[in-house]
Amino acid sequence: MVHVSPHKAGAVPAIELTGATKRFRTPSGTLHTAVRDLDLTVAPGEFVAVVGPTGCGKSTTLTLVSGLEEPTEGEVKVYGEHVDGIDPNVGFVFQQDAVFPWRTVLSNVTAGPRFRGVGADEAREKARDWLARVGLAAFEDRYPHQLSGGMRKRVALAQTFVNDPKILLMDEPFSALDVQTRALMSDQLLELWAGTGSSVVFVTHDLDEAIALADRVVVMTAGPATVKEVFTVDLPRPRTVEAVRLEPRFVELYREIWASLGEEVRITRERGAGRAA
Ligand SMILES: Nc1ncnc2c1ncn2[C@@H]1O[C@H](COP(=O)(O)OP(=O)(O)OP(=O)(O)O)[C@@H](O)[C@H]1O
């Protein structure tokens, strides 16, 4: 299982945010700063997890990289190019499944390549290959409502990887799943990702999940979000979630990162309490 080594000297970063700030106009007309002066670099093939208190601006950071939103100030680049609209090289997986309920599993996975101009036969072949990799070869004729939540999530992964994304943005993709399914999905994601060379930015509330998956864990401040601290996860790969959790180094990293993240969570909670008072 190979994966491209991160931080190759001189390599153009896959993602580069420099001084990125995003302000939204609220319905009452005031400006709300969601992200402020954020610097973050992700290397080609690197897996970065982003953790931070609720509402701090993690999803907004992803929307800036995706091109769905533009920064108010600062710059966002993907492979050295200024982000200008939605890039076909960027794939997404969200908490909600982005499947078409009226299409079969196979048709759902074929849709992306077809939309990108791949011929019907080739698209079907690629889709079948990815469905086999996620263990759903026998389910290609089912409709999404006939699948379990974990299976639908595997369809979503096949749907994303079939487009060979250079960059994969994942916003709490497994948070609606039960704990066991979640661990299995994490393992499956690592297996699928290994060998693709894609860079991943994975937003989660779950620090266990972040450490088990990532090469680096980025801790965001209480909102407006900026990078507080970045931790390198020096655990060997290939990893499986259940095994890696038992490593003494995992526990040490958890303690170190939680010390940083916990402060921001407390700040956010106190603000909430202040507002409620
Ligand atoms: N389109 C928008 N218009 C106005 N405000 C927005 C918009 N999108 C996000 N916000 C605000 O920006 C802040 C950051 O939101 P964001 O969704 O990025 O946080 P988050 O860290 O992903 O949250 P969570 O952890 O709860 O998923 C929030 O206060 C949110 O209300």
Side-chain angles (χ1 to χ4, degrees), residues 184-204:
L184 291 174
M185 287 307 304
S186 296
D187 289 342
Q188 180 132 54
L189 170 62
L190 286 181
E191 260 180 63
L192 297 175
W193 165 70
T196 61
S198 341
S199 307
V200 184
V201 184
F202 189 103
V203 167
T204 178

Side-chain angles (χ1 to χ4, degrees), residues 24 32 34 54-60 172 205:
F24 290 111
H32 174 84
T54 179
C56 77
K58 301 181 292 296
S59 301
T60 303
E172 300 182 50
H205 279 112

